[in-house]
Structure formats: C-alpha cells, structure tokens
Amino acid sequence: MTAPRIDTETLRRLPKAVLHDHLDGGLRPATVVELAAAVGHQLPTTDPGELAAWYFEAANSGDLVRYIATFEHTLAVMQTREGLLRTAEEYVLDLAADGVVYAEVRYAPELNTNGGLSLAEVVETVQEGLAAGMAKAAAAGTPVRVGTLLCGMRMFDRVREAADLAVAYRDAGVVGFDIAGAEDGFPPADHLAAFEHLRRESMPFTIHAGEAHGLPSIHQALQVCGAQRIGHGVRLTEDIVDGKLGRLASWVRDRRVALEMCPTSNLQTGCATSIAEHPITALKDLGFRVTLNTDNRLVSGTTMTREMSLLVEEAGWTVEDLRTVTVNALKSAFIPFDERKALIEDVVLPGYAAAL
Ligand SMILES: [Zn+2]
C-alpha cells in the first residue's frame, strides 16, 4: 500500500464512535474464565489466552450460524446480577482504553434470564454496570458516552416484548432497538408489528440486514419495517454495477442511511473475502454514510484501533477517512442531535486536528 503508515498509538488515541458492538461478544477472556468458575459453567479451556484463541478460531469458520454458537460461553456467565454488572462495567472501560468516545452497546435481554432475573432486572442491572464504567472512565480522564440498543432475537417469539422494553427504558439509557440472530430464514418483516409499534412510539431502530441474506433483506428492513440504519449492509453492493447505483442503493446513499459495517466480523462469517476488498472502502468512496464497527471484540479478536489499523494498512485509508466514518457514526447515532453535535465539534474534530 502506498498510504503513509500511521502508528498504532496514534490510532488508539484518535476519538472513535462505534454504533454496532454486542455486549455479549465483547467480554474479557479472563473475566469469562473467572465468572464461569463461579457459576460452574464448563469452558473449552480455563486459560484466558487459549480461550481468546479458541473464540477466534471457532468464529473464523466462515459460517454465521457457527459464529453465533460461540456466544453460548459468554452468555453462560451473564445470567446473574454479578456477571452482568461486571461485564457491563468492563465493557465501557475497554472501549475507553480503545479511544472510543461514543458507543451504542446492544444485547438481547431475553438471553440473560436463565438465572432467574426478569427482563426488567436485566436491563436495570446492565444500565447500572454501564453507568459505573462511565463514571470510572470519566474519572480517569477518558470519558465515553454509551447508549443502549435492546435487541429481540429474530428466530424467537419475544421481539415485540423486547420492543416494549426498549420503549419503557428510553429515559433510562436505552436509545434504540435492533433484531439480532440468524438472518437467513428470519426476514425483518416477520416482526413488522414490533417495528410498527416502535415507529408509533417514535423510537429509533436499526436492523441487521444484508449480511447472510442479500438485497431483499435490506429492502424489507428499510422500506417495509422503516429502519433508520442498517447493521452490516455489505450486500448492498449487489445493487451497484460498475459504479452505477440501483434504486435501493440510491435510496441508502441519498437518504443518508448509515451502514454499520464490521470488516473483521464479515471476513469471519464469509461475507467478505479480504480487508483490501471489503465493500466499506468502495461504499465510502461512492459517498455512502459508512461507519466502522467491531461487532464482537472478543469473538472477532478485535478493537476499533485494530479495525482502523487494518483499513490503513490493507485498504489505503487515511486519517481523513477515519475522521469521516467517525463523524458519520455520530451523525447517525440515536442520542439527541445537540449531544451528537457537541461530541463532533468538541471532541472528535479537535482530536483529529491534534493528530493530523
Ligand atoms: Zn451484529
């Protein structure tokens, strides 16, 4: 690559915004080991280094279904108040250490009730852990604002319940909604009633679409369900031929619909072949509102700094490109406009100006 190299420490210090990162995919390996021992859950290994490698290897199978199956072991340690408090707090501290100044964390509360917690207790406990993390990060001089997206699992029947929960906790840290889980065979419109409810309540939502399934999934998410953003959306490129945009791709670009793109995760699930050829670069160059995200930091063995470094090293990205996707993320974040504007003007732009 001909782009000038940018050292990792400079990248780590750049202010970052992440819109697509799963709470249950971002645990510290050592924490999984300790919490598993406490609740008597058997792991593939009790060595944190080996466990991290196991996750990465298992997630590298090129199969979204197998990738999702690795979450069994993180979810197993997130069924108690102690487990949720600790993982939520550490989640925030790890983002702060990575230079993240704004994040939207997402998770499906229905997957955290095996230990007897109610859905409401799960949400309240996670918010408590996130708040503790934000207070510690701010005290350490690395403030990070974290909003929560609640997810419904698209292959189960509790999506409407999760949507109600998001609305109920909108003034307590929940800023939006999503559906997660296996995309193929579970189209967004299966949950139309939940999305119509959210629209009536003026509650923003994004939808995982265009990862395992193609254009019809993105079309349904936007034009039938009314999503404001798209999770992944890599297969939108199927509507772009020789640089010419089809109607759906035009809609996404012209209406400034944010694409929450996750390069390493996409390589692992087989919907992209290399960082150099990942659609994020072509879509950025065509003027789409692309954002850069980690998806699952433990499972994908990644961080925002690493994703940035890969794009710089392998796809020729510049610091200006990194600033663009960071500002894009804040423009499409689900927190109020004045807070987004303040983060862009007071934190992100000065941070990049200092680095350039
Ligand atoms: Zn995701």
Side-chain angles (χ1 to χ4, degrees):
M1 278 294 145
T2 52
R5 293 176 71 89
I6 308 164
D7 67 86
T8 306
E9 181 51 27
T10 301
L11 290 175
R12 194 196 61 76
R13 281 201 310 269
L14 290 174
K16 303 171 187 72
V18 55
L19 299 182
H20 192 124
D21 196 51
H22 294 260
L23 180 65
D24 48 333
L27 279 63
R28 297 176 184 174
T31 298
V32 177
V33 170
E34 282 179 36
L35 290 174
V39 298
H41 175 77
Q42 185 145 16
L43 294 170
T45 166
T46 55
D47 178 86
E50 284 177 15
L51 185 65
W54 177 87
Y55 270 109
F56 191 71
E57 192 279 324
N60 256 336
S61 60
D63 176 347
L64 181 61
V65 174
R66 228 191 114 190
Y67 181 96
I68 290 172
T70 61
F71 288 84
E72 170 197 342
H73 298 295
T74 54
L75 285 167
V77 304
M78 299 173 71
Q79 305 298 330
T80 62
R81 176 173 162 77
E82 297 69 36
L84 286 174
L85 279 177
R86 178 166 171 187
T87 52
E89 179 177 322
E90 290 179 353
Y91 176 95
V92 178
L93 295 175
D94 290 350
L95 292 183
D98 195 18
V100 174
V101 298
Y102 178 74
E104 287 177 11
V105 57
R106 64 184 76 192
Y107 70 101
E110 67 192 88
L111 300 180
N112 303 100
T113 55
N114 292 346
L117 295 174
S118 68
L119 289 174
E121 285 169 336
V122 170
V123 174
E124 287 166 19
T125 306
V126 169
Q127 288 309 131
E128 197 180 327
L130 295 174
M134 283 188 271
K136 279 192 184 172
T142 53
V144 50
R145 165 89 156 87
V146 181
T148 303
L149 309 183
L150 296 187
C151 300
M153 298 306 290
R154 58 202 306 158
M155 61 287 209
F156 303 144
D157 59 3
R158 302 186 76 177
V159 171
R160 173 57 200 264
E161 213 177 333
D164 284 342
L165 203 60
V167 172
Y169 284 90
R170 66 189 313 169
D171 295 323
V174 176
V175 301
F177 186 77
D178 176 34
I179 49 171
E183 182 186 1
D184 223 0
F186 301 95
D190 282 1
H191 304 290
L192 188 56
F195 295 121
E196 285 178 340
H197 172 66
L198 290 165
R199 293 215 302 269
R200 277 194 299 273
E201 294 291 334
S202 303
M203 184 79 186
F205 57 91
T206 178
I207 295 179
H208 275 83
E211 183 186 17
H213 201 249
L215 292 176
S217 182
I218 300 174
H219 181 267
Q220 257 191 29
L222 290 172
Q223 314 301 31
V224 179
C225 300
Q228 286 83 54
R229 303 193 317 231
I230 291 295
H232 296 286
V234 277
R235 292 183 61 179
L236 188 64
T237 50
E238 292 168 15
D239 198 36
I240 304 172
V241 179
D242 296 331
K244 191 173 181 317
L245 277 55
R247 290 196 192 283
L248 183 62
S250 295
W251 175 275
V252 171
R253 186 188 64 175
D254 299 345
R255 304 272 77 76
R256 315 308 294 146
V257 177
L259 299 171
E260 305 161 359
M261 309 203 86
C262 313
T264 295
S265 169
N266 292 158
L267 295 193
Q268 292 184 308
T269 56
C271 65
T273 52
S274 69
I275 294 293
E277 291 173 13
H278 190 283
I280 190 169
T281 302
L283 291 168
K284 166 184 68 69
D285 292 342
L286 284 167
F288 283 81
R289 183 170 285 179
V290 298
T291 69
L292 178 64
N293 303 276
T294 38
D295 206 9
N296 296 291
R297 286 172 289 113
L298 166 61
V299 177
S300 291
T302 200
T303 60
M304 283 297 286
T305 300
R306 180 174 173 276
E307 294 296 314
M308 287 183 162
S309 178
L310 287 170
L311 290 171
V312 168
E313 297 291 329
E314 297 178 28
W317 281 43
T318 63
V319 173
E320 286 86 352
D321 292 326
L322 299 174
R323 180 180 61 195
T324 297
V325 293
T326 305
V327 170
N328 280 350
L330 284 163
K331 283 181 173 173
S332 292
F334 286 157
I335 55 169
F337 173 73
D338 52 349
E339 291 183 49
R340 283 149 44 198
K341 188 164 177 285
L343 277 166
I344 292 172
E345 292 176 355
D346 303 341
V347 181
V348 172
L349 295 182
Y352 278 84
L356 283 166

